[in-house]
């Protein structure tokens, strides 16, 4: 059993896509073990995306991620890190497979609706960034 961190980004929340994303998770047998809505400050977004701090898109990305509420979830299931990344689709929605969340809903390489951890170590760090063990069911 594996865990991963999922975020419905500010564009997804603003555009009314919370239900759509959750529907796809549940339809694919992915269990939601924790969920909350938060509005990150710029500093919290910078901390979350610290691995990207040298990237040219870091400032714009952290402005975007702190521009409105997000839904953060802990997902649980067998091989869930990879399975959820497959449901999300490629970072660049233009390269995402048809039927993935990003292919269907992203409008921009930055505004791509969802986040998902990319490996077991990052999943662990990212989950701990938002949730205490008591909040995970
Ligand atoms: P991921 O979300 O698919 O794991 P990462 O490379 O970790 O992709 O990048 C984190 C986020 O930064 C992306 O989801 C996207 O919102 C944004 N991003 C990535 N590459 C670019 C870019 O080239 N221009 C603008 N934003 C980008
Ligand atoms: Mg990433």
């Amino acid at each position: 059993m594996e865990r991963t961190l999922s975020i419905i980004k500010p564009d997804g929340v603003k555009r009314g896509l919370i239900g759509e994303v959750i529907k796809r998770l549940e339809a694919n047998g992915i269990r939601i073990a924790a969920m909350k809505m938060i509005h990150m400050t710029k500093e919290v977004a910078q901390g979350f995306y610290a691995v990207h701090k040298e990237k040219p898109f870091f400032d714009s990305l952290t402005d975007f991620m702190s521009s409105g509420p997000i839904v953060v979830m802990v997902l649980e299931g067998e091989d869930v890190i990879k399975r959820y990344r497959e449901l999300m689709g490629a970072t660049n929605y233009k390269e995402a497979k048809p039927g993935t969340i990003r292919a269907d809903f992203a409008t921009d390489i930055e505004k791509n609706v969802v986040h998902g951890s990319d490996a077991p170590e990052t999943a662990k760090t990212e989950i701990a960034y938002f949730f205490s063990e008591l909040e995970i069911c």
Side-chain angles (χ1 to χ4, degrees):
M1 212 40 93
E2 204 174 59
R3 283 177 178 174
T4 193
L5 185 86
S6 161
I7 300 180
I8 304 175
K9 296 185 179 185
D11 59 331
V13 172
K14 272 192 199 109
R15 291 167 58 210
L17 296 172
I18 298 172
E20 180 64 38
V21 172
I22 291 175
K23 189 181 81 181
R24 290 178 184 216
L25 297 174
E26 292 186 332
N28 283 277
I30 293 175
R31 198 177 82 79
I32 299 167
M35 172 161 59
K36 61 188 167 191
M37 182 181 271
I38 59 169
H39 188 154
M40 292 195 284
T41 61
K42 172 92 171 169
E43 290 67 32
V44 171
Q46 285 169 331
F48 180 71
Y49 277 119
V51 289
H52 291 310
K53 66 174 183 294
E54 307 302 334
K55 304 270 170 67
F57 57 82
F58 181 69
D59 194 49
S60 170
L61 174 64
T62 51
D63 272 347
F64 163 56
M65 289 301 290
S66 58
S67 69
I70 59 171
V71 173
V72 279
M73 292 178 272
V74 177
L75 309 181
E76 200 172 69
E78 212 172 297
D79 210 16
V80 73
I81 296 175
K82 185 163 147 263
R83 280 167 58 216
Y84 174 52
R85 296 275 316 184
E86 279 167 9
L87 285 183
M88 285 167 48
T91 308
N92 184 348
Y93 72 106
K94 289 181 180 162
E95 289 161 13
K97 282 199 198 116
T100 60
I101 296 168
R102 285 167 166 175
D104 288 349
F105 301 110
T107 52
D108 185 280
I109 189 164
E110 179 181 86
K111 294 173 184 63
N112 57 7
V113 188
V114 280
H115 167 85
S117 312
D118 59 10
E121 313 74 63
T122 46
K124 207 171 173 206
T125 319
E126 291 181 0
I127 288 169
Y129 196 74
F130 292 112
F131 294 95
S132 74
E133 200 53 44
L134 266 177
E135 293 176 298
I136 304 171
C137 307

